[in-house]
Amino acid sequence: MSNPYETDELVNQYLAFHYGPTYFEVPNYAVHCADICLGLMQGRSTRRALDLGCAVGRSTFELARGFESVVGIDLSSRFVESARALQEGAVLPYFLHDEGVLGHAAKASLSDLGLIDMGRKVRFEQGDACQLRAGLGQFDLVFAGNLIDRVANPAAFLDTLQDVVNPGGLLVISSPYTLLDEYTPRENWLGGVVVDGQSRTMLQGMTQALAPAFVPLGSPQDVPFVIRETARKYQHSIAQLTVWARV
């Protein structure tokens, strides 16, 4: 299957999602998640953060408001190229579809959002979250936004994080749990399935997969987000955000 996240359509859509206007009074998702993460770090070390599945980079830049350095990793080369261009001060044009082939141009830049100084604190890499490169190091915070339902083997992905999160550090996962066979073979689903006659949710599956290296911190919270497709079509989703402390 070709990667849809390398297409012009998805690059445009995610530049708008990260850097464009908000809709229906729903806060910017990348900013909202980063703000939650920064609030969680009060009284904790804020030396290094890792943004897995960073897409076009808004959450990475926002995390840099509170961390000394942040690494953003995404599988899409187009997404990473866009994030790096913004980091270097580029003004990126993108296209908003209105109806059919009709639409209008928009632009994204860090200077418009007061993030230009944050670019000096971040680094973007193309990479597979399930096969993180050797030498990446450890982090005080790892944020995985809308990623757990887009990897081929979620259990293996979570297992790798034991070596990436510092003891006492936090893992924050946010996802609407849109489970699709095209991304994750059904035999690898952590939840949304029946096991031994019992319903298993993603939260239950993640809890089992992360133990005993991680313990849940606080209660899950809902984080809504809106992705504009056309002037008359929007995706309105509700992610569940969970926080896990590295034992």
Side-chain angles (χ1 to χ4, degrees), residues 16 20-21 91-96 104-108:
V91 176
L92 288 188
Y94 60 93
F95 186 77
L96 290 169
H104 62 279
K107 61 183 177 65

mmCIF file of all heavy atoms in Angstrom, residues 16 20-21 91-96 104-108:
data_model
loop_
_atom_site.group_PDB
_atom_site.id
_atom_site.type_symbol
_atom_site.label_atom_id
_atom_site.label_comp_id
_atom_site.label_asym_id
_atom_site.label_seq_id
_atom_site.Cartn_x
_atom_site.Cartn_y
_atom_site.Cartn_z
ATOM 1 N N ALA A 16 -2.655 22.635 7.286
ATOM 2 C CA ALA A 16 -3.835 23.357 7.761
ATOM 3 C C ALA A 16 -4.214 22.915 9.175
ATOM 4 O O ALA A 16 -4.579 23.745 10.029
ATOM 5 C CB ALA A 16 -5.003 23.135 6.802
ATOM 6 N N GLY A 20 -3.185 26.117 10.632
ATOM 7 C CA GLY A 20 -4.298 26.913 10.130
ATOM 8 C C GLY A 20 -5.285 27.290 11.223
ATOM 9 O O GLY A 20 -5.051 27.067 12.412
ATOM 10 N N PRO A 21 -6.418 27.861 10.823
ATOM 11 C CA PRO A 21 -7.427 28.290 11.796
ATOM 12 C C PRO A 21 -8.117 27.104 12.456
ATOM 13 O O PRO A 21 -8.062 25.970 11.966
ATOM 14 C CB PRO A 21 -8.416 29.086 10.933
ATOM 15 C CG PRO A 21 -8.263 28.523 9.566
ATOM 16 C CD PRO A 21 -6.816 28.158 9.424
ATOM 17 N N VAL A 91 8.234 30.309 4.618
ATOM 18 C CA VAL A 91 6.785 30.470 4.628
ATOM 19 C C VAL A 91 6.237 29.444 3.643
ATOM 20 O O VAL A 91 6.494 29.529 2.439
ATOM 21 C CB VAL A 91 6.374 31.895 4.224
ATOM 22 C CG1 VAL A 91 4.852 31.998 4.161
ATOM 23 C CG2 VAL A 91 6.942 32.919 5.198
ATOM 24 N N LEU A 92 5.502 28.455 4.151
ATOM 25 C CA LEU A 92 5.041 27.357 3.309
ATOM 26 C C LEU A 92 3.623 27.611 2.819
ATOM 27 O O LEU A 92 2.694 27.746 3.627
ATOM 28 C CB LEU A 92 5.070 26.037 4.078
ATOM 29 C CG LEU A 92 6.426 25.416 4.385
ATOM 30 C CD1 LEU A 92 6.222 24.018 4.979
ATOM 31 C CD2 LEU A 92 7.301 25.325 3.158
ATOM 32 N N PRO A 93 3.430 27.645 1.508
ATOM 33 C CA PRO A 93 2.067 27.754 0.982
ATOM 34 C C PRO A 93 1.384 26.390 1.000
ATOM 35 O O PRO A 93 2.027 25.359 0.847
ATOM 36 C CB PRO A 93 2.295 28.244 -0.454
ATOM 37 C CG PRO A 93 3.629 27.684 -0.823
ATOM 38 C CD PRO A 93 4.445 27.654 0.444
ATOM 39 N N TYR A 94 0.096 26.401 1.220
ATOM 40 C CA TYR A 94 -0.679 25.176 1.093
ATOM 41 C C TYR A 94 -2.061 25.528 0.547
ATOM 42 O O TYR A 94 -2.444 26.706 0.505
ATOM 43 C CB TYR A 94 -0.771 24.403 2.410
ATOM 44 C CG TYR A 94 -1.411 25.131 3.570
ATOM 45 C CD1 TYR A 94 -2.771 25.010 3.829
ATOM 46 C CD2 TYR A 94 -0.651 25.911 4.440
ATOM 47 C CE1 TYR A 94 -3.368 25.653 4.902
ATOM 48 C CE2 TYR A 94 -1.229 26.558 5.513
ATOM 49 C CZ TYR A 94 -2.590 26.430 5.739
ATOM 50 O OH TYR A 94 -3.176 27.076 6.798
ATOM 51 N N PHE A 95 -2.772 24.517 0.109
ATOM 52 C CA PHE A 95 -4.033 24.730 -0.589
ATOM 53 C C PHE A 95 -5.178 24.151 0.222
ATOM 54 O O PHE A 95 -5.116 23.010 0.672
ATOM 55 C CB PHE A 95 -3.983 24.047 -1.971
ATOM 56 C CG PHE A 95 -5.175 24.309 -2.829
ATOM 57 C CD1 PHE A 95 -5.326 25.515 -3.490
ATOM 58 C CD2 PHE A 95 -6.157 23.331 -2.983
ATOM 59 C CE1 PHE A 95 -6.433 25.757 -4.297
ATOM 60 C CE2 PHE A 95 -7.261 23.559 -3.776
ATOM 61 C CZ PHE A 95 -7.409 24.776 -4.441
ATOM 62 N N LEU A 96 -6.211 24.948 0.411
ATOM 63 C CA LEU A 96 -7.407 24.507 1.105
ATOM 64 C C LEU A 96 -8.509 24.233 0.074
ATOM 65 O O LEU A 96 -8.949 25.144 -0.630
ATOM 66 C CB LEU A 96 -7.877 25.578 2.087
ATOM 67 C CG LEU A 96 -7.002 25.793 3.323
ATOM 68 C CD1 LEU A 96 -7.430 27.052 4.058
ATOM 69 C CD2 LEU A 96 -7.065 24.595 4.249
ATOM 70 N N HIS A 104 -8.610 27.735 -2.135
ATOM 71 C CA HIS A 104 -7.835 28.960 -1.994
ATOM 72 C C HIS A 104 -6.525 28.668 -1.276
ATOM 73 O O HIS A 104 -6.390 27.657 -0.573
ATOM 74 C CB HIS A 104 -8.631 30.031 -1.252
ATOM 75 C CG HIS A 104 -9.009 29.648 0.149
ATOM 76 N ND1 HIS A 104 -10.094 28.832 0.436
ATOM 77 C CD2 HIS A 104 -8.446 29.964 1.347
ATOM 78 C CE1 HIS A 104 -10.196 28.673 1.744
ATOM 79 N NE2 HIS A 104 -9.210 29.351 2.316
ATOM 80 N N ALA A 105 -5.571 29.555 -1.488
ATOM 81 C CA ALA A 105 -4.238 29.384 -0.919
ATOM 82 C C ALA A 105 -4.182 29.915 0.509
ATOM 83 O O ALA A 105 -4.894 30.850 0.882
ATOM 84 C CB ALA A 105 -3.207 30.098 -1.784
ATOM 85 N N ALA A 106 -3.330 29.283 1.299
ATOM 86 C CA ALA A 106 -3.035 29.745 2.657
ATOM 87 C C ALA A 106 -1.537 29.554 2.875
ATOM 88 O O ALA A 106 -0.824 29.036 2.008
ATOM 89 C CB ALA A 106 -3.847 28.968 3.682
ATOM 90 N N LYS A 107 -1.035 29.969 4.038
ATOM 91 C CA LYS A 107 0.397 29.830 4.288
ATOM 92 C C LYS A 107 0.636 29.531 5.755
ATOM 93 O O LYS A 107 -0.177 29.874 6.625
ATOM 94 C CB LYS A 107 1.158 31.092 3.878
ATOM 95 C CG LYS A 107 0.760 32.346 4.620
ATOM 96 C CD LYS A 107 1.519 33.556 4.098
ATOM 97 C CE LYS A 107 1.092 34.851 4.771
ATOM 98 N NZ LYS A 107 1.419 34.876 6.202
ATOM 99 N N ALA A 108 1.756 28.868 6.008
ATOM 100 C CA ALA A 108 2.172 28.555 7.372
ATOM 101 C C ALA A 108 3.571 29.100 7.597
ATOM 102 O O ALA A 108 4.444 28.981 6.725
ATOM 103 C CB ALA A 108 2.166 27.044 7.599
#
